[in-house]
Amino acid sequence: MHKWNIFPHDNADFLFQGSELDNAWEDLHLGDKEPFPEDEPLQEAWRCFHRGDFQQAVNLADEHGLSGHAVANKATGIYATYLEPDEKRQVRCFQSAIARAENAIDEFPDDANAHYFHAFNLGRYSQSISIVKALKQGVGGKILNSLQQALELQPDHAEAHTALAMYHAEIIDKVGKMLGGITYGASESKALEHFKLAMQITPKSPIAHIEYGNGLYLLYGERKIDRVSELYVEASEITPLDAMEKLDVESALAELE
């Protein structure tokens, strides 16, 4: 595998040394509900993730075996989304995470994040190749099934609520309400319901604000542009808890510019 690009910022605020990781865990993982790992190697993998050393996070997680699937798949997905400039390598990153997630689902069927990170990386893969093309490949049904499984196992999984809301919004945007509803079960009301649940669970999450804004624009276009802009401004003003959230905040700022 080629060497990944480095998170391009001073990461001194996100080191989480020693017990700092445990103390910060609830806030860091309010969105994905990942339980604190008992094994030190996995703790170190998560430290790498939170400070933005995504390749090392994946390396340490994979050395630990499939039990490191969550940190490996989250790190891969965030890296590919924000830091990989080559489109072909970006797709390969998503594909590697999807394959790992499929193995994790087989091994840990009751792990909500095995299902969630499967859907997350499938969703990012779909965006990278085009939603319409992904739907033709049958990816939509896989995303929906994995998100439903994740939420059945963990109803307060805010990131899964956001992802499910975006599933509904993106399909409606691409194929329309009628066809989207009949063929893919997409619903405007369900999109709004899941966006609002995610915001209730994680009111200080930059990505919850950003994706809510994206979803409103997909559903309503310029009619909701003022609310979309408000959500992006709110996201840009949130103090990030780790490298991932810093990337989210900078994404919001870039969009506003």
Side-chain angles (χ1 to χ4, degrees):
M1 183 172 63
H2 76 288
K3 186 173 178 59
W4 288 8
N5 296 310
I6 302 299
F7 178 64
H9 299 284
D10 179 8
N11 59 14
D13 292 336
F14 308 134
L15 295 181
F16 301 107
Q17 296 175 331
S19 62
E20 291 176 356
L21 181 66
D22 192 359
N23 295 337
W25 190 264
E26 184 175 357
D27 290 334
L28 288 168
H29 291 273
L30 189 60
D32 66 17
K33 300 299 182 183
E34 177 70 11
F36 185 76
E38 296 181 0
D39 296 332
E40 174 58 34
L42 285 184
Q43 293 175 25
E44 187 58 30
W46 279 111
R47 287 189 186 94
C48 291
F49 171 84
H50 289 301
R51 69 172 178 259
D53 189 349
F54 299 119
Q55 184 166 40
Q56 183 63 2
V58 174
N59 291 342
L60 289 174
D62 282 345
E63 286 176 6
H64 199 67
L66 197 55
S67 60
H69 68 90
V71 61
N73 286 336
K74 191 165 193 174
T76 301
I78 296 301
Y79 169 79
T81 298
Y82 285 121
L83 296 173
E84 178 51 70
D86 184 277
E87 292 181 2
K88 291 182 179 179
R89 287 201 295 260
Q90 184 187 55
V91 169
R92 288 199 295 270
C93 283
F94 292 133
Q95 289 172 330
S96 71
I98 291 164
R100 186 189 294 106
E102 289 172 349
N103 290 334
I105 289 171
D106 290 340
E107 186 72 18
F108 311 111
D110 294 328
D111 184 334
N113 278 332
H115 299 278
Y116 169 66
F117 288 118
H118 180 240
F120 171 78
N121 283 285
L122 277 171
R124 296 301 189 184
Y125 165 79
S126 299
Q127 291 170 341
S128 70
I129 67 169
S130 92
I131 299 297
V132 172
K133 185 176 180 179
L135 290 174
K136 290 179 179 177
Q137 293 179 359
V139 173
K142 295 178 182 178
I143 293 173
L144 180 59
N145 181 65
S146 286
L147 289 174
Q148 289 174 334
Q149 288 293 320
L151 286 169
E152 183 176 334
L153 291 164
Q154 178 47 266
D156 291 331
H157 198 301
E159 292 180 17
H161 281 295
T162 293
L164 187 51
M166 283 300 293
Y167 166 86
H168 290 288
E170 287 185 324
I171 287 179
I172 289 172
D173 174 63
K174 291 298 182 291
V175 304
K177 290 183 181 180
M178 183 175 294
L179 182 60
I182 293 171
T183 308
Y184 302 104
S187 161
E188 175 187 345
S189 62
K190 288 181 180 178
L192 296 176
E193 175 189 350
H194 287 290
F195 279 131
K196 290 174 182 177
L197 283 169
M199 292 283 284
Q200 288 171 10
I201 297 167
T202 53
K204 296 181 180 179
S205 164
I207 197 62
H209 287 75
I210 291 169
E211 293 289 52
Y212 191 10
N214 291 340
L216 288 178
Y217 194 79
L218 289 172
L219 291 169
Y220 305 111
E222 294 295 321
R223 287 176 292 162
K224 291 287 186 179
I225 193 63
D226 289 343
R227 180 58 179 141
V228 171
S229 298
E230 287 175 2
L231 286 161
Y232 266 83
V233 169
E234 290 169 9
S236 73
E237 294 174 345
I238 294 172
T239 301
L241 297 179
D242 67 355
M244 178 191 74
E245 288 199 349
K246 190 171 182 66
L247 288 165
D248 292 335
V249 168
E250 292 185 347
S251 173
L253 287 167
E255 191 68 24
L256 289 168
E257 292 176 358

